[in-house]
Amino acid sequence: MYLVLLLVFNTGIFAQKVILTPTAVNGASVSSSGPINLGGTPSSTVSLGVRVEMPSIPGNTGTISIYSLNGLNANIVTGGNGGSLIFNEGNVASRSFVVNLNWSAFPTSGGFIFAEYKTASGVAYKSGYISVVKNATMGGGTINPPADALNPSKIANTLCCNQTVRLGDKPAPIVGSQYVDPYENFIYGINNRWKANNGSILNLDNTNKTLYLDYTTELKNITVTRELGYKGNNEYPNKSNTINITVVPTPILRNTISVNESLNSEGFVELSNLKNLTISGFSSIVNLKVLQDPFYTIQTRDPGAEVDGYKWEYTKTNSALGGPRIWVTIPNENSSNLTFYDPSEKSNLEDTYYLIRRIAIYQNITNATEPIKVLIRGIRYNNTICCDQSLKITSNTEFEKPQIISGSPPFVESNIVQGTGFLIKSITYQWQNQSLQGSTPSIWYNISGATSKDYLPTQPLIVSNGGGRRPTDGFEVSYKYRRIANINYHFYNDTNKLITGIASSYSNETFLIGSKNEPFLKLYPNPSTSILNIESTVDLTNVKLTISNIMGTIVNSNDYSLISPKLISINVANYPTGTYFITIENQNLGVTQRAFIKQ
């Protein structure tokens, strides 16, 4: 016991140790434990002392250096390369440093510095970390900029110019007085805050001090101001003049768009594998009396004119619908209606939110509609279902029975988390349906008890008789189906703590309809192992055909055989097993999409 205690005691006395002690920052004393406060000074001079203690005399071949740590990157600071550290005949050595630390080299949250002694054999011993902060208000509570920095209170701060716009038109850019900020990336750089009351900010060009507003949406006047202050605090003492934008009625009438689709709780149209949406719009007209006098009271027989044309725009957004936007013009679309396709890069893995609007144009006047909100559900984690069903109707009471809708087993790879020991614990399902009756589908409903991987439709099917003895072409109510997969998993983070999570996904959609005739478009055999046939009741000559996998990658582009005008075949033998989506387009079909399984 005595020998063990003696060994521990001696080890504690002679263990290697590197001690870093700051003594001054820019000539001012600092605590020996830090922090080192750079304040708002671009380049700070820091005095440091380093003491290295070794359990035995290491000789004169080791080196000593001072490093800064910014995130994961450690670099020798200016003046921090100390070269060889000489111990002479003892096992303790000291070195004094004067280093330079640049304010811009550290993030807003600061960083650290440390000393490192490295032996000739390459073994490194490090000191403890000393915090580096960027707090220009420590001690005095006020920002102390250098003499050549701007004072925000003394900057000329004016905006130009007042204007009048028509409702639905886009205001002209608001230009602010210019100033050059030599310390724009520092805490005593100049911060600006623009306010647009009743207006929507589209973009701010800080270089040219110019604000761009979006199309007006309300018959309310807009005011714009700019406030200036230091970046290091939340004070804006310099307030500009107020720009007034007067909004008056527009002569462009009937500029509205709509969709025959149900909306979710956030007001979005949801699309899954059906990656297109028909947006209908009235043909806009121009009231020539209002064109001359914005406050004219419209009469029934006022003279009018057609608008010169339209353009369509979209922007990616999110469910919060906040913040400035980048609107993109949809090329070659200038009619009153639009078939919207997902413009993303076929990733098809994440949910994507869009706003879509139409701009009517007459001479130098424009008018933007309220946007249609669209949500593209990403098909991810291999959560797919198959297939569409068109049931043969033989009488008012007899028709084919629905088949099971098969769902693929979802799968999540471990790369969705940062950790180890990734494990899928369980997978739960919820099937939903949407009734198709009339011009607008219903919202999506959870199907009670439908929580299995596959689903056999049990909704009531009633043949529509149209008031006569013979059945019409289908059921009174048809349906769409989709499956929500919730994948429960856990993993261990970098501190070995067990973390649980859920990865959720909406599947593609399938439909269930009835017809007294042969299906309009039929895929067989489905699932398929080699040859997939596509048969239609209309001419398929010169169709445009693409097939994509669940990742959105196109695996077939117009590679098919035309067997007859109404039958084509595709060799899918070399396709990997899985679910695929096929899009067929020609003058007779329009754009039609279906799913099939490759076994």
Side-chain angles (χ1 to χ4, degrees):
M1 180 65 69
Y2 173 80
L3 292 175
V4 172
L5 291 175
L6 182 62
L7 177 61
V8 172
F9 179 74
N10 288 334
T11 302
I13 291 178
F14 298 105
Q16 61 275 0
K17 187 181 299 184
V18 180
I19 302 171
L20 176 65
T21 305
T23 57
V25 178
N26 294 323
S29 298
V30 64
S31 170
S32 61
S33 60
I36 295 171
N37 179 27
L38 303 182
T41 305
S43 180
S44 294
T45 301
V46 181
S47 299
L48 304 165
V50 179
R51 177 184 173 91
V52 179
E53 302 177 8
M54 300 297 289
S56 60
I57 300 174
N60 300 328
T61 55
T63 58
I64 185 71
S65 302
I66 307 296
Y67 286 82
S68 66
L69 185 63
N70 179 355
L72 297 177
N73 299 316
N75 299 287
I76 296 178
V77 302
T78 303
N81 188 348
S84 299
L85 186 64
I86 301 175
F87 283 80
N88 294 320
E89 300 302 323
N91 55 5
V92 176
S94 300
R95 174 68 58 81
S96 295
F97 285 87
V98 177
V99 301
N100 291 318
L101 300 182
N102 291 324
W103 194 93
S104 59
F106 293 87
T108 303
S109 58
F112 302 91
I113 64 170
F114 63 91
E116 180 185 84
Y117 173 70
K118 184 177 292 186
T119 67
S121 60
V123 179
Y125 302 101
K126 297 180 181 178
S127 71
Y129 292 146
I130 302 295
S131 296
V132 177
V133 298
K134 300 165 64 171
N135 187 354
T137 62
M138 282 184 66
T142 59
I143 293 177
N144 299 305
D148 59 344
L150 295 179
N151 184 335
S153 299
K154 297 181 179 180
I155 298 174
N157 185 17
T158 59
L159 303 181
C160 183
C161 294
N162 295 334
Q163 55 185 289
T164 298
V165 299
R166 309 272 188 168
L167 176 63
D169 210 342
K170 185 181 291 187
I174 309 298
V175 181
S177 52
Q178 306 293 300
Y179 55 88
V180 178
D181 183 9
Y183 295 104
E184 62 177 335
N185 296 321
F186 292 81
I187 200 168
Y188 37 75
I190 303 303
N191 200 14
N192 62 75
R193 180 169 66 181
W194 295 71
K195 294 181 179 179
N197 183 35
N198 296 326
S200 177
I201 295 176
L202 190 63
N203 184 37
L204 173 60
D205 182 352
N206 268 317
T207 302
N208 296 301
K209 312 297 188 290
T210 302
L211 180 74
Y212 297 87
L213 295 175
D214 202 359
Y215 293 95
T216 58
T217 58
E218 297 180 280
L219 198 59
K220 294 181 179 179
N221 293 339
I222 300 170
T223 59
V224 179
T225 57
R226 181 178 69 174
E227 300 173 346
L228 302 178
Y230 283 124
K231 290 187 175 181
N233 56 33
N234 198 33
E235 298 175 3
Y236 296 87
N238 190 341
K239 295 178 171 50
S240 72
N241 59 304
T242 299
I243 292 299
N244 294 289
I245 301 174
T246 304
V247 183
V248 299
T250 178
I252 299 178
L253 309 178
R254 300 194 320 190
N255 189 31
T256 58
I257 55 177
S258 61
V259 293
N260 290 326
E261 299 286 345
S262 61
L263 307 180
N264 65 15
S265 60
E266 294 180 311
F268 283 82
V269 177
E270 291 189 29
L271 300 179
S272 181
N273 63 311
L274 297 178
K275 302 290 281 289
N276 64 77
L277 176 69
T278 299
I279 302 177
S280 303
F282 286 107
S283 295
S284 298
I285 59 173
V286 179
N287 186 300
L288 298 179
K289 292 285 189 178
V290 178
L291 181 64
Q292 297 173 359
D293 177 9
F295 300 101
Y296 170 80
T297 301
I298 296 177
Q299 305 293 321
T300 304
R301 297 187 178 181
D302 288 340
E306 294 184 357
V307 294
D308 297 332
Y310 306 94
K311 72 174 182 178
W312 290 84
E313 295 180 336
Y314 74 87
T315 182
K316 285 188 177 182
T317 180
N318 55 52
S319 57
L321 298 178
R325 311 192 183 287
I326 299 176
W327 288 90
V328 179
T329 299
I330 302 176
N332 305 317
E333 293 291 350
N334 50 23
S335 64
S336 59
N337 302 320
L338 173 72
T339 300
F340 176 73
Y341 297 89
D342 182 6
S344 64
E345 297 294 329
K346 293 290 184 181
S347 63
N348 205 27
L349 295 177
E350 299 297 331
D351 293 345
T352 309
Y353 295 80
Y354 293 100
L355 300 182
I356 308 161
R357 67 186 181 189
R358 185 184 74 175
I359 293 92
I361 304 168
Y362 182 75
Q363 297 179 2
N364 62 340
I365 300 173
T366 56
N367 183 268
T369 65
E370 287 292 325
I372 298 293
K373 299 190 288 187
V374 178
L375 166 57
I376 304 293
R377 289 288 189 187
I379 303 171
R380 52 190 179 271
Y381 311 138
N382 198 39
N383 180 27
T384 59
I385 60 175
C386 192
C387 293
D388 301 325
Q389 299 185 52
S390 180
L391 307 181
K392 176 73 173 180
I393 297 174
T394 56
S395 71
N396 283 353
T397 58
E398 295 181 353
F399 48 83
E400 289 181 317
K401 301 304 179 186
Q403 302 296 310
I404 291 177
I405 304 174
S406 300
S408 60
F411 177 74
V412 176
E413 295 183 348
S414 60
N415 57 16
I416 71 166
V417 300
Q418 296 293 322
T420 59
F422 179 84
L423 177 66
I424 296 176
K425 299 169 56 182
S426 63
I427 301 176
T428 60
Y429 304 100
Q430 177 61 64
W431 287 81
Q432 294 183 328
N433 75 320
Q434 183 184 60
S435 60
L436 308 175
Q437 185 180 27
S439 59
T440 303
S442 73
I443 63 173
W444 286 97
Y445 291 100
N446 288 343
I447 304 172
S448 179
T451 57
S452 299
K453 184 177 77 69
D454 305 322
Y455 176 66
L456 176 63
T458 58
Q459 287 69 40
L461 299 174
I462 301 174
V463 177
S464 176
N465 57 33
R469 295 182 178 181
R470 295 184 177 181
T472 57
D473 286 342
F475 298 124
E476 289 184 357
V477 181
S478 299
Y479 297 94
K480 280 185 178 180
Y481 300 92
R482 70 183 182 188
R483 185 184 70 175
I484 304 173
N486 295 303
I487 305 164
N488 302 275
Y489 62 86
H490 71 216
F491 67 98
Y492 294 91
N493 65 10
D494 55 1
T495 63
N496 208 34
K497 181 180 178 181
L498 183 64
I499 306 296
T500 61
I502 298 177
S504 297
S505 171
Y506 287 74
S507 73
N508 59 300
E509 300 164 7
T510 63
F511 64 76
L512 175 64
I513 62 174
S515 175
K516 69 175 182 178
N517 301 312
E518 287 295 319
F520 183 74
L521 192 69
K522 181 169 62 176
L523 277 64
Y524 63 91
N526 192 4
S528 177
T529 58
S530 57
I531 299 298
L532 176 70
N533 296 302
I534 302 175
E535 187 174 358
S536 177
T537 55
V538 300
D539 196 335
L540 297 177
T541 304
N542 296 323
V543 296
K544 179 182 177 181
L545 180 147
T546 58
I547 299 176
S548 59
N549 59 22
I550 62 171
M551 303 293 290
T553 303
I554 295 177
V555 298
N556 184 323
S557 179
N558 293 323
D559 184 9
Y560 63 87
S561 299
L562 183 67
I563 307 303
S564 70
K566 297 182 179 181
L567 175 65
I568 62 178
S569 69
I570 307 167
N571 186 351
V572 298
N574 293 327
Y575 291 12
T577 300
T579 303
Y580 293 84
F581 305 109
I582 184 167
T583 302
I584 305 172
E585 180 180 1
N586 77 351
Q587 185 175 1
N588 299 318
L589 288 170
V591 179
T592 303
Q593 294 175 313
R594 295 289 188 271
F596 71 92
I597 293 176
K598 167 58 170 59
Q599 286 185 338

